[in-house]
Amino acid sequence: GGLVSRLLSKYHFETVLDVGCSNGYSVELLTNGGKKAQGVDVSEVAVSVAQSLGRNVQYGSATNIPHPANSFDAVMSTDCFEHLIGDDVYKATDEVIRVSRRIVGMRI
């Protein structure tokens, strides 16, 4: 992933959340890059696949991320926000900012 490579090469961080992570491929790349990576996705099927592959992914919505404020050094999302409708875009943006301590990386 281009965003994952950019995050790993340009920024210093320990913990990262991938919002809308699907099957958790980016979570695996980030983990392999030495980061404490987690993912959330609204698809129960995608979460099940990710977990079966040993990836640290849980069910959750971009509009209500199941983590406390300031939980992660970095939060990223790719190919997720374009699927949100209306006010959900603003809710999800607020949620990403809420759980991130410093870095937000998005590909839309």
Side-chain angles (χ1 to χ4, degrees):
L3 182 56
V4 170
S5 298
R6 184 171 178 83
L7 284 172
L8 289 172
S9 67
K10 301 262 184 200
Y11 300 97
H12 174 73
F13 59 96
E14 298 290 325
T15 59
V16 57
L17 177 69
D18 184 1
V19 176
C21 68
S22 186
N23 66 14
Y25 179 68
S26 291
V27 172
E28 183 174 299
L29 291 176
L30 289 158
T31 300
N32 291 344
K35 306 305 176 186
K36 294 177 186 164
Q38 297 181 44
V40 295
D41 200 276
V42 73
S43 166
E44 292 177 1
V45 172
V47 170
S48 179
V49 169
Q51 291 174 344
S52 74
L53 295 169
R55 297 169 180 165
N56 189 2
V57 173
Q58 71 181 90
Y59 179 81
S61 170
T63 60
N64 188 20
I65 297 172
H67 293 284
N70 302 309
S71 293
F72 300 91
D73 297 329
V75 178
M76 62 163 282
S77 183
T78 60
D79 305 318
C80 172
F81 274 58
E82 66 267 28
H83 300 290
L84 301 174
I85 298 169
D87 285 346
D88 283 352
V89 173
Y90 302 110
K91 290 177 189 172
T93 301
D94 288 344
E95 280 292 279
V96 165
I97 293 167
R98 181 183 68 79
V99 299
S100 175
R101 282 191 285 269
R102 296 186 298 115
I103 302 162
V104 172
M106 307 282 280
R107 185 182 74 206
I108 302 172

